[in-house]
Amino acid sequence: MNNNAFLKNESALFDIQELGDSRGALAVVESMKNIPFDVKRVFYIYGTAEGIRRGFHAHHKTRQVLISVSGNCKVHLDNTKRKKEVLLDHPTKALLLEPNDWHEMYDFSPDCVLLVLASELYQAEDYIRDYDQFIEVYGS
Ligand code: T46
């Protein structure tokens, strides 16, 4: 793995290499190669209704990589020290989220399929869904 963005322990946009030829494009994600963790879980968000905002949480442990493999959406990020908005609009554009990134996804295009690779199996207890608790855990 050779991506300085992964070493900072904070959210990072990075590119997935496109392996295209005359038949079309192909992109590969591999644990501990271009994804900086062992992928234990994969899920995807699709068919999101217009105007819907999802997420509204951070995690205790889970790291994630988000890729919009079809269509586009935006992600609002807040790690208590800085806030930013990220546009995911191509299958080769990936967003690494660290556990302390409060995130909200919005402005989904009707064809958006948001692929999420996660470092942990699903555990409801890993979620911080209350913003005040998020500030208590990760602030200062
Ligand atoms: C995240 C963003 C990007 C499960 O049972 N197993 C799972 O692995 C997941 C991801 C969800 N669920 C259940 C829990 C809820 O009853 O599916 C329902 C919807 O999940 P949630 O409301 O958490 O969905 P989002 O879109 O707000 O957040 C999801 C992920 O949960 C979260 O980890 O970071 O996508």
Side-chain angles (χ1 to χ4, degrees), residues 41 43 45 54-55 57 59 64 103 105 116 122 127 129:
R41 181 166 51 105
F43 59 95
I45 294 168
R54 338 183 29 137
H57 60 257
H59 291 273
Q64 298 183 115
H103 50 284
M105 299 85 75
V116 182
Y122 178 72
Y127 285 68
R129 292 191 182 271

Side-chain angles (χ1 to χ4, degrees), residues 17-28 90-92:
Q17 188 184 2
E18 186 171 270
L19 307 171
D21 61 26
S22 57
R23 297 168 298 170
L26 184 153
V28 184
H90 197 272
T92 60

